[in-house]
Amino acid sequence: MTIHSDSVVAWLLDSDPSLRWQTMRDLLNLPEEDWSDERRKVETEGWGATLLSCQDRDGLWAGGAFVPRGFSASQWRTEGQPWTATSFVLTQLREFGLDPQSESARRTIELISYSGRWDHAGEPFWQGEVEECINGRTVADGAYFGANVSTIVQRLLADRQPDGGWNCERTNGSVCSSFATTINVLEGLLEFEKATGGTTASKQARKAGEAYLLKRHLFRRLKTGQPADGKFLQLLYPYRWRYDILRALDYFRASTLFDGGPSDSRLRDSIEFLRSRQMPDNTWAMDWRLPGRVWFEFDDGPGKPSKWLTLRALRVLKWWDGGEEEK
């Protein structure tokens, strides 16, 4: 069983509203009336309010959908991929738990409907573009905040690889799936189902994508059983488009709770690895941080205890341990 100490919970509660309300809901099992006020503060206090204050008058961030306006190829090479444009900010606000019914959220979605255009070919924001990772996150963000993303969902269903998942290199000739693209799309399809009930095709596609990851125990090569990428076992947050086992486990936790039924035994290897990473003070540390322009940092950096990773790890293990008797 995971050590779940009062001091760690107190540490998580002594934080930003985005962490507090999720700690209250996911770790303390408090009813909605006890954490709803805290969730509403995401709009007006702390990290959520700071991100909203950086918004342009037209509803975008940094003047662009995926890349900040005026950001050059040479800057990308020297600074790394930037994370300040609209797409990544919306994802962060969703993960903070900004209330979709809040004034800021509703205004943002409406403005982006008018002014948001993708860098690829000027496509309307809520109709997506050609790259599956981007489209998957846009479905997740749009569905969560109440935008109509059915056009993107249809595209993602058509773009699925023969092995069940997705790969953003499909347009460059790839014929097999990738872990990172698949998790981006799965998160989107799950939010789409939560918001709309989904379709028969979207539900089937989500289950096929889950099967792709489960066959590989979330991080192993299918043929050799070896880790497909060492980075999958190194924890980070924010994820942006990247994949690691905690992101995958948190997805399967949410998916299993939504669908009902027991957890899948093929998650066990990743669960035990995650458990092994709990430090003596009962927290989890961030292993690395993505380079690139951000509005601000909200963790102390690699090697230091991370509140976001600790919250996510504890809620995953709480869910897993709670169902152990059924396995």
Side-chain angles (χ1 to χ4, degrees), residues 179 212 214-217 220-226 228:
F179 289 76
Y212 170 83
L214 287 168
K215 287 177 183 177
R216 292 156 178 82
H217 294 249
R220 299 188 185 280
R221 293 190 183 279
L222 196 58
K223 292 183 179 180
T224 67
Q226 296 299 308

Side-chain angles (χ1 to χ4, degrees), residues 61-68 82-90 295:
W61 277 266
F66 185 73
V67 179
W83 313 109
T84 53
T86 305
S87 174
F88 296 105
V89 174
L90 285 177
W295 289 110

Side-chain angles (χ1 to χ4, degrees), residues 82-157:
W83 313 109
T84 53
T86 305
S87 174
F88 296 105
V89 174
L90 285 177
T91 298
Q92 195 62 69
L93 289 171
R94 169 172 58 85
E95 293 179 358
F96 284 166
L98 176 67
D99 188 342
Q101 298 305 313
S102 67
E103 180 181 351
S104 295
R106 296 173 70 177
R107 182 180 66 86
T108 294
I109 299 311
E110 183 177 0
L111 287 172
I112 289 175
S113 297
Y114 289 110
S115 56
R117 294 293 183 272
W118 287 106
D119 317 61
H120 170 258
E123 303 96 330
F125 193 92
W126 298 121
Q127 293 183 24
E129 50 124 277
V130 299
E131 203 257 40
E132 288 86 335
C133 280
I134 295 173
N135 285 340
R137 290 193 307 276
T138 305
V139 167
D141 298 336
Y144 176 85
F145 285 116
N148 182 353
V149 290
S150 56
T151 297
I152 317 178
V153 170
Q154 290 303 312
R155 178 163 198 151
L156 287 171
L157 299 185

Side-chain angles (χ1 to χ4, degrees), residues 205-266:
R206 181 165 69 87
K207 289 304 173 185
E210 290 180 356
Y212 170 83
L213 294 178
L214 287 168
K215 287 177 183 177
R216 292 156 178 82
H217 294 249
L218 302 193
F219 68 95
R220 299 188 185 280
R221 293 190 183 279
L222 196 58
K223 292 183 179 180
T224 67
Q226 296 299 308
D229 187 332
K231 288 286 191 183
F232 294 170
L233 298 174
Q234 296 180 13
L235 306 181
L236 81 158
Y237 188 82
Y239 301 112
R240 313 302 186 188
W241 61 267
R242 298 299 293 252
Y243 178 95
D244 71 16
I245 62 164
L246 180 52
R247 181 177 184 178
L249 285 169
D250 208 19
Y251 165 80
F252 277 100
R253 166 192 169 272
S255 173
T256 303
L257 290 173
F258 178 73
D259 292 334
S263 53
D264 194 292
S265 62
R266 288 169 291 183

